[in-house]
């Protein structure tokens, strides 16, 4: 990312936000999202392709590899808009895979992935709540988001102390899928690398960076969801009447809304400052500390904010038909993805002494 | 377990507490359907009917009712023991509105004819009741309810809409709060009416809740004709009777059992996730556990009052707030330690005891129904602390 002047940068972020409207209607219409829930694969391959056409899957890749060469500021802004619209297409996992394929020299399915023609998921995780990638041969890879719609898997495998990268066709893989609260799914893959193509010998460092970016983008997605759920709640507080009064006039509820606002403000500051730090070249521990701070905040705040939004709605908040609940269910799925708040707090403490002052 | 003789229902109240506890255990062991233990969701009538009918057949259905009306006549202390043992065994909640709400109300305020007609039908499972209080615009402000009943000869004609009616689709009778005087102050124009749901003009529409379960309903009334004699108590005095019942609901909702159940599941989950031994987790668990123990102690204070025959004041609201918020904190903790399993729709590893997301979602409305926690705090600050305003 070249250091663009501030105004250009703001303009670039504004444009990417506007472009998100193609997929996430700004008015908050969730019919498309509802229709896809609890169906396989849980998202629309046509919309995923559209994301490719708009250059989103390769947003972070250099132009030489077919990417858009944009920074995390832009990527987070986009993720936030998609979170506001609860967009189910697995863009963040696909961006992670694109990063790996790029690091592998642009091999394998990269061009078709960037075009949105195929969904490529990286099967890195062997245990719940971790960012470690042991790459154990034959170990099952778990918690693959939207695995029901995958065309290819990327499998990191330990070889001679390094992580090699394999690409595997989903059609030839054993995958079991479980549904999630948001209407999507998580898959478990038992990789059979005899059917796979080897793409790289040493993907470890690139994967660690890609996981950090995915964690930060997930935080941004959650931020978008919090903002929208809160906006709906404020509307409700301004219109619902009980005891002959607008409920938003009750001071007890006003204070709760103010508390929610503060959580959202902290989350935004945390995400945006982390994105700026990474765009400015933060690396190593400084990079990890910034990402962990942001994801820890977003994970906690998303749960707290969406829970409050339900409570402030009363009974209607506990219905499936009313949209605010969809934000709680999405937060349940994403809060611990790419590391829970506790994991990120631990990691922050482990790296922060080295980054202080 | 040594075979424990299960005494006749009318003898149960006379047993000493420990013996009674053993009897309840043996009873459940003998009679409770294994496949209904700890169901992940609230059961519908079709599912829990066998258990309900078994309780009816054995005469165990209505523990709190006086013996003369077919209940077990259990003291509050024994009712607590019974509930504890049911909870420990994972007994599902039944369609119990007739047992815990309408029955006691009829016993207290009903006419002889109403008692003779309604109570036996609850005891046999012929009448399954639901509670029609809330309306779209009368939730926390229940006294604003508008569903009206107008006298026309020997009948009240009911028009209006109820909402959030739990398990209305399973019920064949509903007890309603209706407006019978539009001129009076809002609390003073409300009456209590019992309605056969087969009466023409009633429509029940299920609402899917956040658990993706059709547990509550909208219930519509369009010129529904209800015999005059189905009014309970005095005309326009329904509010006071309903309030008396709500007091009971508050202690029921303040019972620590939901939190106790959730705590035991949190422990299981922590063991499964491998964090049970972590010092950090132990501290967290200890906080929740101690809050649970303190809640139990506070609950015990109120149970003692009941035992002495005292009535409970508005301060019982504390129990409901503490209990429901503890339940929520425990399920929050489950979500936080579960990693990606937090997002699963079904119980983890197909194990009902690891129903992480389900339990988390079930904990949400506990602070909404039965008088929201905001309303309970209003009661505490105004009616207990006497703060102005
Ligand atoms: C799972 C479930 C089951 C239920 N089952 C039944 C049933 O079987 N039968 C039945 O009749 N009803 C039932 N209810 C309805 C329940 O009693 C109401 O939801 C409850 O009274 C709240 O009313 P409301 O939903 O209209 O919310 P509202 O009253 O509109 O409240 C919205 C928000 O405003 C807050 N608020 C309202 N007034 C004040 C105030 N003065 N000060 C501060 N905050 C305030 C509330 O706490 C809440 O956060 C059920 C509800 C749920 C969730």
């Amino acid at each position: 990312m070249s250091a663009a002047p501030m105004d250009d940068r703001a303009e670039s972020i504004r444009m990417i936000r506007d472009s998100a409207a193609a997929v996430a209607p700004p008015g908050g219409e969730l019919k498309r999202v509802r229709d896809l829930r609890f169906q396989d694969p849980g998202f629309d391959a046509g919309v995923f392709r559209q994301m490719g056409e708009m250059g989103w899957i390769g947003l972070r890749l250099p132009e030489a590899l077919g990417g858009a060469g944009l920074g995390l500021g832009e990527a987070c802004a986009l993720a936030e808009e998609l979170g506001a619209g609860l967009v189910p297409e697995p863009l963040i996992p696909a961006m992670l895979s694109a990063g790996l394929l790029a690091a592998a020299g642009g091999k394998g399915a990269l061009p078709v992935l960037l075009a949105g023609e195929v969904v490529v998921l990286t099967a890195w995780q062997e245990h719940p709540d971790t960012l470690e990638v042991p790459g154990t041969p034959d170990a099952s890879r778990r918690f693959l988001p939207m695995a029901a719609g995958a065309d290819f898997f990327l499998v990191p495998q330990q070889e001679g102390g390094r992580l090699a990268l394999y690409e595997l066709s989903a059609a030839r893989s054993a995958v079991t899928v479980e549904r999630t609260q948001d209407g999507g799914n998580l898959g478990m893959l038992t990789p059979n690398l005899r059917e796979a193509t080897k793409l790289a010998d040493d993907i470890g460092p690139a994967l660690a960076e890609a996981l950090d970016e995915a964690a930060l983008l997930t935080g941004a997605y959650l931020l978008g969801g919090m903002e929208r759920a809160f906006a709906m709640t404020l509307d409700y507080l301004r219109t619902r009447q009980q005891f002959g009064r607008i409920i938003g006039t009750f001071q007890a509820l006003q204070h709760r809304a103010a508390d929610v606002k503060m959580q959202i403000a902290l989350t935004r500051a945390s995400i945006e400052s982390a994105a700026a730090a990474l765009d400015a070249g933060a690396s190593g521990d400084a990079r990890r500390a910034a990402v962990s701070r942001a994801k820890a905040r977003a994970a906690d705040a998303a749960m707290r904010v969406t829970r409050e939004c339900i409570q402030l709605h009363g009974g209607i908040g506990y219905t499936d038909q009313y949209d605010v609940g969809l934000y709680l269910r999405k937060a349940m799925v994403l809060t611990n993805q790419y590391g829970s708040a506790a994991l990120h707090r631990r990691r922050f403490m482990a790296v922060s002494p080295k980054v202080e002052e | 377990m040594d075979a424990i003789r299960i005494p006749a229902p009318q003898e149960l109240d006379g047993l000493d507490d420990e013996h009674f506890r053993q009897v309840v255990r043996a009873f459940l062991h003998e009679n409770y359907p294994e496949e209904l233990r700890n169901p992940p969701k609230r059961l519908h009538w079709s599912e829990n009917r066998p258990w309900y009918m078994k309780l009816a057949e054995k005469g165990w259905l209505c523990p709190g009712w006086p013996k003369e009306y077919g209940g077990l006549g259990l003291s509050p202390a024994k009712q607590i023991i019974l509930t504890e043992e049911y909870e420990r065994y994972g007994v599902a909640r039944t369609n119990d509105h007739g047992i815990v709400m309408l029955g006691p109300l009829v016993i207290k305020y009903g006419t002889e004819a109403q008692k003779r007609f309604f109570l036996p039908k609850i005891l046999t499972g012929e009448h399954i009741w639901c509670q029609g209080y809330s309306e779209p615009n009368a939730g926390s402000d229940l006294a604003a309810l508008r569903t009206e009943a107008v006298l026309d000869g020997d009948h009240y004609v009911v028009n209006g809409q109820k909402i959030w009616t739990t398990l209305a689709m399973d019920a064949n009778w509903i007890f309603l709060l209706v407006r019978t005087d539009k001129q009076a102050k809002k609390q003073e124009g409300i009456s209590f009416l019992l309605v056969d749901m087969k009466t023409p003009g009633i429509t029940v529409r299920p609402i899917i809740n956040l658990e993706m379960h059709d547990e509550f309903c909208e219930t519509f009334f369009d010129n529904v004709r209800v015999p005059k004699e189905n009014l309970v108590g005095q005309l326009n005095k329904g509010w006071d009777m309903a309030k008396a019942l709500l007091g009971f609901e508050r202690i029921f909702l303040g019972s620590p059992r939901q939190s106790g159940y959730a705590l035991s599941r949190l422990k299981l989950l922590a063991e499964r996730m491998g964090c049970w031994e972590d010092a950090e987790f132990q501290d967290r668990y200890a906080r929740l556990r101690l809050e649970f123990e303190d809640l139990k102690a506070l609950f015990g204070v109120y149970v003692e009052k009941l035992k002495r025959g005292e009535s409970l004041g508005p301060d019982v609201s504390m129990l409901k707030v503490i209990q429901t918020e503890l339940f929520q904190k425990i399920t929050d903790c489950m979500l936080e330690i579960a990693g990606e399993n937090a997002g699963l729709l079904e119980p983890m590893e197909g194990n009902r005891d690891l129903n992480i997301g389900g339990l988390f979602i079930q904990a949400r409305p506990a602070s909404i129904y039965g008088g929201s926690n905001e309303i309970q705090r209003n009661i505490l600050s105004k009616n207990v602390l006497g703060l102005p305003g």
Side-chain angles (χ1 to χ4, degrees):
Chain A
M1 179 68 210
S2 55
M6 269 306 273
D7 286 355
D8 290 0
R9 194 62 201 285
E11 178 60 12
S12 152
I13 289 178
R14 196 189 58 73
M15 278 171 62
I16 198 98
R17 282 191 192 276
D18 288 350
S19 73
V23 168
E29 170 56 51
L30 296 176
K31 179 171 187 321
R32 180 184 87 87
V33 172
R34 285 184 174 278
D35 289 347
L36 289 166
R37 291 192 308 158
F38 308 114
Q39 312 289 322
D40 284 338
F43 63 92
D44 179 346
V47 171
F48 187 76
R49 182 187 298 254
Q50 209 181 337
M51 292 176 156
E53 284 160 6
M54 287 190 290
W56 293 354
I57 300 168
L59 195 81
R60 298 276 298 127
L61 302 193
E63 290 174 23
L65 283 170
L70 293 175
L72 276 166
E74 284 84 354
C76 284
L78 175 61
E80 195 190 317
E81 296 301 321
L82 300 184
L86 293 174
V87 169
E89 284 70 26
L91 179 67
I92 296 171
M95 290 172 81
L96 186 155
S97 296
L100 287 190
L101 291 170
K107 287 193 217 152
L110 185 61
V112 274
L113 170 61
L114 293 187
E117 285 162 21
V118 296
V119 174
V120 183
L121 299 178
T122 302
W124 60 276
Q125 192 171 0
E126 296 175 29
H127 304 286
D129 197 13
T130 181
L131 290 170
E132 301 293 319
V133 186
T136 315
D138 299 330
S140 292
R141 307 301 156 92
R142 306 175 60 189
F143 309 120
L144 285 144
M146 294 294 184
D151 299 294
F152 292 95
F153 294 112
L154 301 179
V155 184
Q157 169 155 279
Q158 188 71 239
E159 284 176 6
R162 296 190 300 190
L163 281 179
L165 188 69
Y166 287 84
E167 184 179 273
L168 186 60
S169 149
R172 291 158 168 273
S173 303
V175 184
T176 52
V177 171
E178 285 184 275
R179 286 204 203 282
T180 45
Q181 292 286 352
D182 59 350
N185 54 81
L186 288 174
M188 182 167 85
L189 167 77
T190 310
N192 176 1
L193 294 191
R194 280 187 304 282
E195 305 274 354
T197 316
K198 185 169 179 178
L199 300 181
D201 293 319
D202 185 9
I203 205 70
L207 180 51
E209 293 210 344
L211 285 173
D212 275 344
E213 289 201 4
L216 182 58
L217 292 176
T218 301
Y221 188 105
L222 286 168
L223 171 63
M226 286 180 236
E227 289 274 23
R228 180 62 61 79
F230 185 48
M232 290 175 63
T233 305
L234 285 178
D235 280 349
Y236 198 74
L237 290 177
R238 289 190 182 106
T239 47
R240 170 72 172 167
Q241 293 200 26
Q242 287 289 277
F243 303 99
R245 286 165 60 179
I246 303 278
I247 61 172
T249 63
F250 296 127
Q251 208 161 49
L253 303 190
Q254 292 175 343
H255 286 188
R256 302 268 287 281
D259 286 341
V260 167
K261 174 64 195 169
M262 289 185 264
Q263 284 302 315
I264 294 176
L266 286 169
T267 309
R268 176 172 300 289
S270 196
I271 299 272
E272 290 182 352
S273 64
L278 268 57
D279 282 340
S283 62
D285 285 344
R287 181 186 157 99
R288 281 190 280 276
V291 168
S292 282
R293 179 166 64 91
K295 178 69 202 313
R297 168 67 59 186
D300 274 352
M303 292 316 304
R304 177 159 167 201
V305 167
T306 51
R307 277 183 335 225
E308 281 285 14
C309 290
I310 303 279
Q311 178 68 24
L312 292 171
H313 274 85
I316 194 153
Y318 193 59
T319 63
D320 182 59
Q321 181 192 347
Y322 195 82
D323 286 342
V324 80
L326 299 183
Y327 289 89
L328 176 84
R329 299 166 74 99
K330 179 63 84 179
M332 291 170 72
V333 176
L334 293 186
T335 183
N336 294 338
Q337 219 168 66
Y338 304 110
S340 66
L343 178 143
H344 281 289
R345 281 192 295 263
R346 278 198 303 276
R347 195 175 78 148
F348 179 88
M349 289 310 282
V351 297
S352 66
K354 298 176 236 161
V355 298
E356 267 162 8
E357 248 54 36
Chain B
M1 196 187 314
D2 279 346
I4 287 181
R5 192 186 69 87
I6 296 171
Q10 55 279 12
E11 292 169 27
L12 290 171
D13 191 47
L15 306 179
D16 73 63
D17 285 357
E18 196 41 43
H19 185 187
F20 176 70
R21 192 182 289 280
Q22 297 304 330
V23 167
V24 176
R25 285 186 189 173
F27 180 83
L28 291 175
H29 196 74
E30 249 174 57
N31 295 297
Y32 192 73
E34 190 61 28
E35 67 280 5
L36 295 189
R37 288 179 79 169
N38 291 316
K41 291 184 174 156
R42 180 100 191 245
L43 297 181
H44 276 297
W45 173 240
S46 58
E47 298 159 305
N48 67 33
R49 187 172 186 278
W51 168 234
Y52 192 103
M53 296 315 271
K54 174 69 82 178
L55 285 168
E57 175 199 319
K58 300 276 179 189
W60 278 51
L61 194 60
C62 299
W65 294 14
K67 289 180 196 172
E68 68 217 82
Y69 295 113
L72 293 176
L74 295 185
S75 67
K78 284 217 171 54
Q79 288 183 54
I80 302 279
I81 294 174
L82 185 86
T83 321
E84 277 171 6
E85 290 308 316
Y86 276 25
E87 197 55 43
R88 191 197 307 269
Y89 205 75
V91 173
R93 198 172 159 191
T94 56
N95 298 59
D96 56 10
H97 279 110
I99 302 167
V100 299
M101 301 192 86
L102 196 267
L105 185 107
V106 167
I107 290 171
K108 194 156 173 201
Y109 301 102
T111 61
E112 275 314 308
Q114 285 170 337
K115 290 180 196 172
R116 272 199 311 276
F117 181 76
F118 288 109
L119 300 179
K121 292 187 166 61
I122 294 173
L123 285 163
T124 56
E126 187 181 335
H127 284 180
I128 298 300
W129 286 87
C130 63
Q131 176 193 19
Y133 288 5
S134 306
E135 298 181 7
N137 290 310
S140 296
D141 183 14
L142 185 57
L145 62 91
R146 284 203 297 242
T147 296
E148 62 171 356
V150 177
L151 196 58
D152 175 24
D154 289 342
H155 286 78
Y156 285 103
V157 180
V158 179
N159 279 290
Q161 182 196 347
K162 296 294 177 181
I163 196 166
W164 319 127
T165 333
T166 298
L167 298 177
M169 69 287 271
D170 289 352
N172 46 22
W173 280 78
I174 183 167
F175 52 94
L176 291 181
L177 286 178
V178 287
R179 184 149 308 279
T180 36
D181 183 350
K182 285 200 255 189
Q183 262 66 55
K185 230 184 97 202
K186 57 184 190 172
Q187 283 86 351
E188 286 159 17
I190 294 174
S191 300
F192 204 101
L193 198 60
L194 310 181
V195 182
D196 182 343
M197 293 185 77
K198 288 190 300 292
T199 321
I202 301 181
T203 310
V204 173
R205 210 181 287 156
I207 304 173
I208 306 292
N209 69 15
L210 259 202
E211 260 191 297
M212 304 301 291
H213 192 39
D214 57 346
E215 195 174 299
F216 49 31
C217 300
E218 290 178 287
T219 316
F220 299 88
F221 299 84
D222 179 16
N223 286 321
V224 176
R225 296 184 68 83
V226 182
K228 214 167 79 175
E229 56 272 20
N230 285 9
L231 189 93
V232 185
Q234 280 173 278
L235 186 67
N236 296 329
K237 294 286 179 229
W239 182 254
D240 300 331
M241 296 188 308
K243 255 178 67 177
L245 270 191
L246 284 181
F248 167 81
E249 194 178 14
R250 250 153 235 174
I251 186 159
F252 180 71
L253 295 173
S255 153
R257 71 206 155 77
Q258 260 182 335
S259 293
Y261 174 79
L263 259 185
S264 69
R265 269 46 195 178
L266 172 61
K267 177 166 191 270
L268 275 180
L269 178 66
E271 286 165 350
R272 182 70 193 84
M273 298 306 298
C275 64
W276 172 246
E277 313 256 328
D278 293 355
E280 191 258 321
F281 181 81
Q282 281 287 314
D283 181 60
R284 247 188 119 175
Y285 185 84
R287 275 171 205 263
L288 296 168
R289 176 69 197 276
L290 297 190
E291 189 156 334
F292 169 68
E293 297 297 339
D294 294 343
L295 169 63
K296 268 201 334 202
L298 184 60
F299 186 71
V301 172
Y302 287 89
V303 172
E304 286 302 316
K305 284 191 186 182
L306 283 180
K307 271 198 214 173
R308 291 195 300 266
E310 292 171 32
S311 59
L312 302 180
D315 52 331
V316 71
S317 283
M318 289 193 288
L319 288 181
K320 198 247 168 182
V321 174
I322 299 167
Q323 194 297 120
T324 54
E325 292 179 8
L326 175 59
F327 181 30
Q328 293 178 344
K329 279 186 265 187
I330 297 168
T331 60
D332 289 351
C333 183
M334 288 179 77
L335 219 64
E336 287 170 26
I337 65 167
E340 284 77 357
N341 299 300
L344 294 178
L345 185 66
E346 301 293 333
M348 176 180 166
E349 295 164 358
N351 180 350
R352 284 173 176 210
D353 292 331
L354 300 177
N355 184 22
I356 307 159
L359 208 58
F360 171 83
I361 292 181
Q362 280 166 29
R364 297 303 109 204
S367 50
I368 298 172
Y369 57 62
S372 76
N373 286 16
E374 288 75 26
I375 296 299
Q376 309 289 355
R377 284 185 165 89
N378 287 348
I379 293 173
L380 287 169
S381 50
K382 299 207 176 80
N383 303 355
V384 178
L385 302 177
L387 289 170

